[in-house]
Amino acid sequence: MLIETVDYQADDAAIALQRSLRDTGFAVLANHPIAADRLARLYDRWGDFFAGDAKHDFTVQPPRHDGFFPFRSENAKDSPIKDLKEFFHIYPSSPIPDGLEDETRAIYHELVTLGTELLSWIQAQTP
């Protein structure tokens, strides 16, 4: 199976994306507008957050579905075994820790914009 690398800036990017998704179900997107170093810095900053105790101030409060989910707090669907992970779910109105909010919301917006564009490419290529 060949998973295609799609150059976001190429003239045939929409066609290449649709082809790879149709043929393999996957694609690698290169040269997209979200810089890898920005993502890496934000991952590092969130890593620092997860390493500290302040994360517990953001523990999910049902019925909400956003915030911090502690280690072994969630099960995969139909599984009795707790997941071996912790994570932080974010929606547009979610509370986000100070020092992480501005960049997290900026990247969130950019990812939604990019995703919307990619979906429009797929729709345009779908018979």
Side-chain angles (χ1 to χ4, degrees):
M1 172 171 58
L2 175 64
I3 298 173
E4 195 164 345
T5 297
V6 176
D7 183 345
Y8 173 82
Q9 299 175 12
D11 292 338
D12 69 340
I15 294 167
L17 177 66
Q18 187 273 343
R19 179 179 55 240
S20 187
L21 293 175
R22 182 193 64 230
D23 293 348
T24 68
F26 300 95
V28 174
L29 187 64
N31 298 318
H32 56 74
I34 303 171
D37 61 329
R38 269 183 74 210
L39 290 171
R41 280 193 308 271
L42 190 56
Y43 267 93
D44 287 344
R45 292 176 61 210
W46 273 101
D48 293 342
F49 171 80
F50 279 103
D53 290 330
K55 62 189 176 190
H56 297 289
D57 296 339
F58 293 88
T59 299
V60 65
Q61 300 294 317
R64 292 185 65 114
H65 300 286
D66 58 354
F68 172 66
F69 288 74
F71 185 74
R72 292 190 169 205
S73 64
E74 183 181 70
N75 300 48
K77 184 177 180 182
D78 299 327
S79 174
I81 300 170
K82 295 288 186 185
D83 289 348
L84 303 178
K85 66 180 179 188
E86 60 181 2
F87 61 96
F88 200 107
H89 236 162
I90 295 174
Y91 296 101
S93 63
S94 297
I96 298 176
D98 291 337
L100 291 168
E101 184 168 11
D102 291 344
E103 189 63 17
T104 298
R105 290 202 190 282
I107 289 202
Y108 182 100
H109 174 74
E110 292 170 31
L111 288 167
V112 168
T113 299
L114 177 60
T116 300
E117 181 179 19
L118 297 178
L119 288 171
S120 73
W121 289 3
I122 294 166
Q123 183 176 14
Q125 296 300 316
T126 302

